[in-house]
Coordinates of all heavy atoms in Angstrom, one line a residue:
T1 N 100.0 115.1 83.6 CA 100.2 114.0 84.5 C 99.8 112.7 83.8 O 99.0 112.6 82.9 CB 99.4 114.2 85.9 OG1 98.1 114.3 85.4 CG2 99.8 115.4 86.6
V2 N 100.4 111.6 84.4 CA 100.0 110.3 83.9 C 98.9 109.6 84.5 O 98.7 109.7 85.8 CB 101.3 109.3 83.9 CG1 101.0 107.9 83.5 CG2 102.5 109.9 83.3
D3 N 97.9 109.0 83.8 CA 96.7 108.2 84.3 C 97.3 107.2 85.2 O 98.1 106.4 84.7 CB 95.9 107.8 83.2 CG 94.6 107.1 83.8 OD1 94.7 106.7 84.8 OD2 93.7 107.0 83.0
P4 N 96.9 107.1 86.5 CA 97.5 106.0 87.3 C 97.2 104.7 86.9 O 98.0 103.8 87.2 CB 96.7 106.3 88.7 CG 96.2 107.6 88.7 CD 96.0 108.0 87.2
K5 N 96.3 104.4 86.1 CA 95.9 103.1 85.5 C 97.1 102.5 84.8 O 97.4 101.4 84.7 CB 94.7 103.1 84.8 CG 93.5 103.3 85.5 CD 92.2 103.4 84.6 CE 91.0 103.7 85.5 NZ 89.8 104.0 84.6
F6 N 97.9 103.5 84.2 CA 99.0 103.0 83.3 C 100.3 102.8 84.2 O 101.3 102.1 83.7 CB 99.5 104.1 82.3 CG 98.4 104.4 81.3 CD1 97.7 105.5 81.2 CD2 98.0 103.3 80.3 CE1 96.7 105.8 80.3 CE2 97.0 103.5 79.4 CZ 96.4 104.8 79.4
L7 N 100.2 103.0 85.5 CA 101.3 102.7 86.3 C 101.1 101.3 87.1 O 102.0 100.8 87.7 CB 101.5 103.8 87.5 CG 101.7 105.2 86.9 CD1 101.6 106.2 88.1 CD2 103.0 105.3 86.1
R8 N 100.0 100.7 86.9 CA 99.7 99.5 87.6 C 100.3 98.3 87.0 O 100.7 98.3 85.8 CB 98.2 99.2 87.5 CG 97.3 100.1 88.4 CD 96.0 99.6 88.3 NE 95.1 100.5 89.1 CZ 93.9 100.7 88.9 NH1 93.2 100.0 88.0 NH2 93.1 101.6 89.7
K9 N 100.5 97.3 87.8 CA 101.1 96.0 87.3 C 99.9 95.5 86.5 O 98.9 95.9 86.4 CB 101.3 95.1 88.5 CG 102.5 95.6 89.4 CD 102.6 94.8 90.7 CE 103.7 95.4 91.6 NZ 103.8 94.6 92.8
P10 N 100.2 94.3 85.7 CA 99.3 93.6 85.0 C 98.2 93.1 85.9 O 98.4 92.7 87.0 CB 100.0 92.5 84.4 CG 101.5 92.9 84.3 CD 101.6 93.8 85.5
R11 N 96.9 93.3 85.3 CA 95.7 92.8 86.1 C 95.7 91.3 86.3 O 96.1 90.6 85.4 CB 94.5 93.1 85.3 CG 93.1 92.9 86.1 CD 92.0 93.0 85.1 NE 90.8 93.0 85.9 CZ 90.1 91.8 86.3 NH1 90.7 90.6 86.1 NH2 88.9 91.9 87.0
P12 N 95.4 91.0 87.6 CA 95.4 89.5 87.9 C 94.3 88.7 87.0 O 93.3 89.5 86.7 CB 95.0 89.3 89.4 CG 95.1 90.7 89.8 CD 95.1 91.8 88.8
G13 N 94.4 87.5 86.7 CA 93.5 86.7 85.9 C 92.2 86.4 86.7 O 91.9 85.2 86.8
V14 N 91.7 87.3 87.3 CA 90.4 87.0 88.0 C 89.2 87.4 87.1 O 89.0 88.5 86.8 CB 90.3 87.9 89.3 CG1 88.9 87.6 90.1 CG2 91.5 87.5 90.2
P15 N 88.5 86.4 86.8 CA 87.3 86.7 85.8 C 86.1 87.4 86.5 O 85.9 87.3 87.8 CB 86.9 85.2 85.4 CG 87.2 84.4 86.5 CD 88.4 85.0 87.2
Q16 N 85.3 88.0 85.8 CA 84.1 88.6 86.4 C 83.1 87.5 86.6 O 82.9 86.6 85.8 CB 83.4 89.7 85.6 CG 84.2 91.0 85.4 CD 83.6 92.1 84.7 OE1 82.6 91.8 83.9 NE2 84.1 93.2 84.8
R17 N 82.5 87.6 87.8 CA 81.4 86.5 88.1 C 80.0 87.3 88.5 O 80.1 88.6 88.6 CB 81.9 85.7 89.4 CG 83.1 85.0 89.0 CD 83.4 84.0 90.0 NE 84.6 83.2 89.6 CZ 85.9 83.3 90.0 NH1 86.0 84.2 91.0 NH2 86.8 82.5 89.4
D18 N 79.0 86.5 88.7 CA 77.7 87.0 88.8 C 77.5 87.7 90.3 O 76.7 88.6 90.5 CB 76.6 86.1 88.6 CG 76.6 85.7 87.1 OD1 76.9 86.6 86.2 OD2 76.2 84.6 86.7
R19 N 78.1 86.9 91.2 CA 77.8 87.3 92.6 C 79.1 87.4 93.4 O 80.1 86.7 93.3 CB 77.0 86.2 93.2 CG 75.6 86.2 92.7 CD 74.7 85.2 93.5 NE 75.3 83.9 94.2 CZ 75.4 82.7 93.5 NH1 75.0 82.6 92.3 NH2 76.2 81.9 94.1
I20 N 79.1 88.4 94.4 CA 80.3 88.5 95.2 C 80.7 87.1 95.9 O 82.0 87.0 96.2 CB 80.1 89.6 96.2 CG1 81.5 90.1 96.9 CG2 79.1 89.4 97.3 CD1 82.5 90.8 95.8
D21 N 79.9 86.5 96.4 CA 80.3 85.2 97.0 C 80.8 84.2 96.3 O 81.2 83.1 96.6 CB 79.0 84.7 97.9 CG 77.9 84.4 97.1 OD1 77.9 84.6 95.9 OD2 76.9 83.8 97.6
Q22 N 80.8 84.4 94.9 CA 81.5 83.4 94.0 C 83.0 83.8 93.9 O 83.8 82.9 93.3 CB 81.0 83.6 92.6 CG 79.5 83.1 92.6 CD 79.0 83.2 91.2 OE1 79.1 84.3 90.6 NE2 78.2 82.2 90.8
Y23 N 83.5 84.9 94.5 CA 84.9 85.3 94.6 C 85.5 84.7 95.8 O 85.0 84.9 96.9 CB 85.1 86.7 94.5 CG 84.7 87.3 93.2 CD1 83.5 87.9 93.0 CD2 85.6 87.4 92.2 CE1 83.2 88.4 91.8 CE2 85.4 87.9 90.8 CZ 84.1 88.5 90.8 OH 83.9 89.0 89.6
S24 N 86.7 84.2 95.9 CA 87.5 83.9 96.9 C 88.1 85.1 97.5 O 88.3 86.0 96.9 CB 88.6 82.9 96.7 OG 89.6 83.4 96.0
L25 N 88.3 85.0 98.8 CA 89.0 86.1 99.4 C 90.3 86.5 98.9 O 90.7 87.6 98.7 CB 89.1 85.9 101.0 CG 89.3 87.2 101.7 CD1 88.3 88.4 101.6 CD2 89.3 86.9 103.3
D26 N 91.1 85.4 98.5 CA 92.4 85.5 97.8 C 92.2 86.3 96.5 O 93.1 87.1 96.2 CB 93.1 84.2 97.7 CG 93.6 83.7 99.0 OD1 93.8 84.4 99.9 OD2 93.8 82.4 98.8
E27 N 91.2 86.0 95.7 CA 90.9 86.7 94.4 C 90.7 88.3 94.7 O 91.3 89.1 94.0 CB 89.7 86.1 93.7 CG 90.1 84.7 93.1 CD 88.9 84.1 92.4 OE1 87.8 84.2 93.0 OE2 89.1 83.5 91.4
L28 N 89.9 88.5 95.7 CA 89.6 89.9 96.1 C 90.9 90.6 96.4 O 91.0 91.8 96.1 CB 88.4 90.0 97.1 CG 87.2 89.4 96.6 CD1 86.1 89.5 97.8 CD2 86.6 90.2 95.4
V29 N 91.6 90.0 97.3 CA 92.9 90.6 97.8 C 93.8 90.9 96.6 O 94.4 91.9 96.5 CB 93.4 89.6 98.9 CG1 95.0 90.0 99.0 CG2 92.8 89.6 100.1
S30 N 93.9 90.0 95.7 CA 94.8 90.1 94.6 C 94.3 91.4 93.6 O 95.2 92.1 93.2 CB 94.9 88.8 93.7 OG 93.8 88.5 93.0
L31 N 93.0 91.5 93.5 CA 92.6 92.6 92.8 C 92.8 93.9 93.5 O 93.2 95.0 92.9 CB 91.1 92.5 92.4 CG 90.7 91.6 91.4 CD1 89.2 91.3 91.3 CD2 91.2 92.0 90.1
I32 N 92.6 94.0 94.8 CA 93.0 95.2 95.6 C 94.3 95.4 95.6 O 94.7 96.6 95.3 CB 92.5 95.0 97.1 CG1 91.0 94.9 97.2 CG2 93.1 96.1 98.0 CD1 90.4 94.5 98.4
R33 N 95.2 94.5 95.7 CA 96.7 94.7 95.6 C 97.0 95.3 94.1 O 97.9 96.3 94.0 CB 97.5 93.5 95.7 CG 97.5 93.1 97.3 CD 98.5 92.1 97.5 NE 98.7 91.8 98.9 CZ 98.5 90.7 99.6 NH1 98.4 89.5 98.8 NH2 98.6 90.5 100.8
W34 N 96.4 94.9 93.1 CA 96.4 95.4 91.8 C 96.1 96.8 91.6 O 96.8 97.6 91.1 CB 95.8 94.4 90.8 CG 95.6 95.1 89.5 CD1 96.6 95.2 88.6 CD2 94.6 95.5 88.8 NE1 96.4 95.7 87.4 CE2 95.1 96.0 87.5 CE3 93.2 95.8 89.2 CZ2 94.1 96.7 86.7 CZ3 92.4 96.4 88.3 CH2 92.8 96.7 87.0
I35 N 95.0 97.2 92.3 CA 94.4 98.5 92.2 C 95.4 99.4 92.9 O 95.6 100.5 92.5 CB 93.1 98.6 92.9 CG1 91.9 97.9 92.0 CG2 92.7 100.0 93.2 CD1 90.6 97.7 92.5
L36 N 96.0 99.0 94.0 CA 96.9 99.9 94.8 C 98.3 99.9 94.3 O 99.1 100.7 94.6 CB 97.0 99.3 96.3 CG 95.6 99.4 97.0 CD1 95.8 98.8 98.4 CD2 95.1 100.7 97.1
S37 N 98.5 98.9 93.3 CA 99.9 99.0 92.7 C 100.4 100.1 91.9 O 101.4 100.3 91.6 CB 100.1 97.7 91.8 OG 99.4 97.8 90.6
D38 N 99.4 101.2 91.7 CA 99.8 102.4 91.1 C 100.4 103.3 91.9 O 100.8 104.4 91.6 CB 98.7 102.9 90.2 CG 97.5 103.2 91.1 OD1 97.6 103.4 92.4 OD2 96.3 103.5 90.6
G39 N 100.3 103.0 93.3 CA 100.8 103.9 94.3 C 100.1 105.1 94.8 O 100.4 105.8 95.7
C40 N 98.8 105.2 94.2 CA 98.0 106.3 94.6 C 97.3 105.9 95.9 O 96.9 104.9 96.1 CB 96.8 106.5 93.5 SG 97.5 107.1 92.0
L41 N 97.1 106.9 96.8 CA 96.5 106.7 98.1 C 95.0 106.8 97.8 O 94.6 107.7 97.1 CB 96.9 107.9 99.1 CG 98.2 107.8 99.6 CD1 98.6 109.0 100.4 CD2 98.6 106.5 100.2
R42 N 94.3 105.9 98.5 CA 92.8 105.9 98.4 C 92.1 105.5 99.7 O 92.7 104.8 100.4 CB 92.4 104.7 97.3 CG 92.8 104.8 95.9 CD 92.4 103.7 95.2 NE 92.7 103.8 93.6 CZ 93.9 103.6 93.1 NH1 95.0 103.4 93.9 NH2 94.2 103.8 91.9
T43 N 90.9 106.1 99.9 CA 90.2 105.7 101.1 C 89.6 104.3 100.8 O 89.5 103.7 99.7 CB 89.1 106.8 101.3 OG1 88.2 106.7 100.2 CG2 89.6 108.2 101.5
D44 N 89.2 103.7 101.9 CA 88.5 102.5 101.7 C 87.2 102.6 100.8 O 87.0 101.7 100.0 CB 87.9 101.9 103.2 CG 89.1 101.4 103.9 OD1 90.2 101.4 103.5 OD2 88.8 101.0 105.1
D45 N 86.5 103.7 101.0 CA 85.4 104.0 100.1 C 85.8 104.0 98.7 O 85.1 103.4 97.7 CB 84.7 105.2 100.5 CG 83.3 105.4 99.9 OD1 82.5 104.5 100.2 OD2 83.0 106.5 99.3
E46 N 86.9 104.6 98.4 CA 87.3 104.7 96.9 C 87.7 103.3 96.4 O 87.4 103.0 95.3 CB 88.5 105.7 96.8 CG 88.0 107.1 97.0 CD 89.2 108.1 97.2 OE1 90.4 107.7 97.7 OE2 89.1 109.2 96.8
I47 N 88.4 102.5 97.3 CA 88.7 101.2 96.9 C 87.4 100.3 96.6 O 87.4 99.6 95.6 CB 89.6 100.5 98.0 CG1 91.0 101.2 98.1 CG2 89.9 99.0 97.5 CD1 91.8 100.8 99.3
V48 N 86.5 100.5 97.3 CA 85.3 99.7 97.3 C 84.6 100.2 96.0 O 84.2 99.4 95.2 CB 84.2 99.9 98.4 CG1 83.0 99.3 98.2 CG2 85.0 99.2 99.8
N49 N 84.5 101.4 95.7 CA 83.9 101.8 94.4 C 84.7 101.3 93.2 O 84.0 100.8 92.2 CB 83.8 103.4 94.3 CG 82.8 104.0 95.2 OD1 81.8 103.3 95.6 ND2 83.0 105.2 95.7
E50 N 86.0 101.3 93.3 CA 86.9 100.9 92.2 C 86.7 99.3 92.0 O 86.5 98.8 90.8 CB 88.2 101.3 92.3 CG 89.0 101.0 91.1 CD 90.2 102.0 90.9 OE1 90.4 102.8 91.8 OE2 91.0 101.7 90.1
M51 N 86.6 98.6 93.1 CA 86.3 97.1 93.0 C 84.9 96.8 92.6 O 84.9 95.9 91.6 CB 86.5 96.6 94.4 CG 87.9 96.4 94.9 SD 88.8 95.1 94.0 CE 88.1 93.6 94.8
V52 N 83.9 97.6 92.8 CA 82.6 97.3 92.2 C 82.6 97.5 90.7 O 82.1 96.6 90.0 CB 81.6 98.4 92.9 CG1 80.2 98.3 92.1 CG2 81.3 98.0 94.4
R53 N 83.3 98.5 90.2 CA 83.5 98.6 88.9 C 84.2 97.5 88.3 O 83.8 97.0 87.1 CB 84.1 100.0 88.6 CG 83.1 101.2 88.6 CD 83.8 102.4 88.0 NE 85.1 102.8 88.7 CZ 85.2 103.6 89.8 NH1 84.2 104.0 90.4 NH2 86.5 103.7 90.2
E54 N 85.3 97.3 88.9 CA 86.2 96.3 88.2 C 85.7 94.9 88.2 O 85.8 94.2 87.3 CB 87.6 96.2 89.0 CG 88.6 95.4 88.4 CD 89.1 95.9 87.1 OE1 89.1 97.2 86.8 OE2 89.3 95.1 86.2
L55 N 84.8 94.5 89.2 CA 84.1 93.4 89.2 C 82.9 93.2 88.4 O 82.3 92.1 88.2 CB 83.7 92.9 90.7 CG 84.9 92.8 91.7 CD1 84.4 92.6 93.1 CD2 85.8 91.5 91.3
G56 N 82.4 94.4 87.8 CA 81.3 94.4 86.9 C 80.0 94.5 87.6 O 78.9 94.3 86.8
F57 N 79.9 94.9 88.8 CA 78.5 94.9 89.5 C 77.9 96.3 89.1 O 78.7 97.4 89.0 CB 78.8 94.8 90.8 CG 79.2 93.4 91.3 CD1 80.3 93.2 92.1 CD2 78.5 92.3 91.1 CE1 80.7 92.0 92.4 CE2 78.8 91.1 91.4 CZ 80.0 90.8 92.1
K58 N 76.7 96.3 88.9 CA 75.9 97.6 88.6 C 75.7 98.5 89.8 O 75.6 99.6 89.7 CB 74.5 97.2 88.0 CG 74.7 96.3 86.8 CD 75.1 97.0 85.6 CE 75.0 96.3 84.4 NZ 76.3 95.9 83.8
R59 N 75.8 97.9 90.9 CA 75.5 98.7 92.1 C 76.3 98.1 93.4 O 76.8 97.0 93.4 CB 74.0 98.8 92.6 CG 73.4 97.3 92.9 CD 71.9 97.6 93.2 NE 71.4 96.3 93.8 CZ 71.5 96.0 95.1 NH1 72.1 96.8 96.0 NH2 71.0 94.8 95.5
R60 N 76.4 98.9 94.4 CA 77.3 98.6 95.5 C 76.4 98.3 96.7 O 75.8 99.1 97.3 CB 78.0 99.9 96.0 CG 78.9 99.7 97.1 CD 79.7 101.0 97.4 NE 80.2 101.1 98.8 CZ 81.1 101.8 99.1 NH1 81.6 102.7 98.3 NH2 81.5 101.9 100.3
G61 N 76.1 96.9 96.9 CA 75.2 96.4 97.9 C 76.1 96.2 99.1 O 77.2 96.2 99.2
T62 N 75.2 95.9 100.2 CA 75.8 95.7 101.6 C 76.9 94.5 101.6 O 77.8 94.5 102.3 CB 74.9 95.6 102.7 OG1 73.9 94.6 102.3 CG2 74.0 96.9 102.7
R63 N 76.4 93.4 100.9 CA 77.2 92.2 100.9 C 78.6 92.5 100.2 O 79.6 91.9 100.6 CB 76.4 91.0 100.3 CG 75.4 90.4 101.1 CD 74.7 89.3 100.5 NE 74.9 89.3 99.0 CZ 74.3 88.5 98.2 NH1 73.3 87.7 98.6 NH2 74.4 88.6 96.9
I64 N 78.4 93.2 99.0 CA 79.8 93.4 98.2 C 80.6 94.3 99.1 O 81.7 94.0 99.1 CB 79.2 94.2 96.9 CG1 78.5 93.2 96.0 CG2 80.5 94.7 96.2 CD1 77.8 93.9 94.8
E65 N 80.0 95.3 99.6 CA 80.7 96.3 100.5 C 81.6 95.5 101.5 O 82.7 95.6 101.9 CB 80.0 97.3 101.0 CG 80.8 98.5 101.8 CD 79.9 99.6 102.1 OE1 79.0 99.8 101.6 OE2 80.4 100.3 103.2
A66 N 80.8 94.6 102.3 CA 81.3 94.0 103.5 C 82.4 92.9 103.1 O 83.5 92.9 103.6 CB 80.2 93.1 104.2
R67 N 82.3 92.4 101.9 CA 83.3 91.4 101.4 C 84.5 92.1 100.9 O 85.6 91.7 101.3 CB 82.7 90.6 100.3 CG 83.6 89.4 99.8 CD 83.2 88.2 100.7 NE 83.9 87.1 99.9 CZ 84.6 86.3 100.4 NH1 85.1 86.3 101.8 NH2 85.2 85.3 99.7
V68 N 84.4 93.3 100.2 CA 85.6 94.0 99.9 C 86.2 94.6 101.0 O 87.5 94.6 101.1 CB 85.2 95.1 98.7 CG1 86.3 95.9 98.5 CG2 84.5 94.4 97.5
L69 N 85.5 95.0 102.0 CA 86.2 95.7 103.2 C 86.9 94.6 103.9 O 88.0 94.8 104.5 CB 85.2 96.3 104.1 CG 84.6 97.7 103.6 CD1 83.5 98.1 104.5 CD2 85.6 98.7 103.6
E70 N 86.4 93.3 104.0 CA 87.2 92.2 104.7 C 88.5 92.0 103.8 O 89.5 91.7 104.5 CB 86.3 90.9 104.5 CG 86.8 89.7 105.1 CD 86.1 88.5 104.9 OE1 84.9 88.5 104.3 OE2 86.4 87.4 105.5
A71 N 88.5 92.1 102.6 CA 89.6 91.9 101.7 C 90.7 93.0 102.0 O 91.9 92.8 102.0 CB 89.3 91.7 100.3
I72 N 90.1 94.2 102.1 CA 90.9 95.3 102.4 C 91.7 95.2 103.7 O 92.9 95.4 103.8 CB 90.2 96.6 102.4 CG1 89.7 97.0 101.0 CG2 91.0 97.8 103.0 CD1 88.6 98.2 100.9
Q73 N 91.0 94.6 104.8 CA 91.7 94.5 106.1 C 92.7 93.3 106.0 O 93.7 93.5 106.5 CB 90.5 94.1 107.1 CG 89.5 95.2 107.5 CD 90.4 96.5 107.9 OE1 91.3 96.4 108.6 NE2 90.0 97.6 107.4
R74 N 92.5 92.4 105.1 CA 93.5 91.4 104.9 C 94.7 92.0 104.3 O 95.9 91.6 104.6 CB 93.0 90.2 104.1 CG 94.1 89.2 104.0 CD 93.6 87.9 103.3 NE 92.8 87.0 104.1 CZ 92.5 85.7 103.8 NH1 92.8 85.4 102.6 NH2 91.7 85.1 104.5
V75 N 94.5 92.8 103.3 CA 95.7 93.4 102.6 C 96.4 94.2 103.7 O 97.7 94.2 103.6 CB 95.1 94.3 101.4 CG1 96.3 95.1 100.9 CG2 94.6 93.6 100.3
R76 N 95.8 95.0 104.5 CA 96.5 95.9 105.5 C 97.2 95.0 106.5 O 98.4 95.4 106.9 CB 95.5 96.8 106.2 CG 95.0 97.8 105.1 CD 94.6 99.1 105.9 NE 94.2 100.1 104.8 CZ 92.9 100.5 104.7 NH1 91.9 100.0 105.4 NH2 92.8 101.4 103.8
R77 N 96.6 93.9 106.9 CA 97.3 93.1 107.8 C 98.5 92.5 107.3 O 99.5 92.1 108.0 CB 96.3 92.0 108.4 CG 95.4 92.5 109.4 CD 94.7 91.3 110.1 NE 94.0 90.4 109.1 CZ 92.7 90.4 108.7 NH1 92.0 91.5 109.2 NH2 92.3 89.5 108.1
S78 N 98.6 92.2 106.1 CA 99.7 91.4 105.3 C 100.8 92.4 105.0 O 101.8 92.1 104.4 CB 99.2 90.6 104.1 OG 98.8 91.4 103.2
S79 N 100.5 93.8 105.1 CA 101.5 94.8 104.6 C 102.5 95.1 105.6 O 102.4 94.9 106.7 CB 100.7 96.0 104.1 OG 99.9 95.8 103.1

């Protein structure tokens, strides 16, 4: 089987930052859309975990989780 990462569109040009509140909601939404662009089904928890890794955070804090879940909801509303 093919690694889903190879099926994704090119990564958006969102740089890694030190804190979650330094990201705009639009930046987070673009990263979530990119993660989902491989067509694999994921739970919200799996999306949050992948976003934490992609954003370069060492741990998954409550603020990070809340902000990413907010972005997930925006993606779902616009789909």
Side-chain angles (χ1 to χ4, degrees):
T1 61
V2 176
D3 186 336
K5 291 177 186 170
F6 293 116
L7 301 175
R8 287 185 185 157
K9 297 175 182 177
R11 187 186 187 282
V14 177
Q16 288 189 348
R17 300 195 172 103
D18 295 330
R19 296 186 328 268
I20 191 66
D21 58 355
Q22 293 175 319
Y23 291 95
S24 72
L25 197 54
D26 286 341
E27 288 175 319
L28 297 176
V29 164
S30 70
L31 284 170
I32 290 169
R33 286 191 175 128
W34 170 71
I35 288 170
L36 297 175
S37 72
D38 61 17
C40 294
L41 295 176
R42 292 174 179 80
T43 65
D44 288 357
D45 195 53
E46 290 169 329
I47 296 169
V48 172
N49 285 336
E50 196 156 346
M51 284 287 285
V52 168
R53 280 191 304 276
E54 193 58 42
L55 296 171
F57 294 122
K58 301 287 187 249
R59 63 182 188 87
R60 175 180 167 161
T62 55
R63 288 185 334 195
I64 293 170
E65 185 172 336
R67 189 83 165 129
V68 172
L69 287 171
E70 180 183 3
I72 291 169
Q73 291 306 312
R74 181 178 281 186
V75 168
R76 290 211 173 108
R77 282 194 305 268
S78 67
S79 296

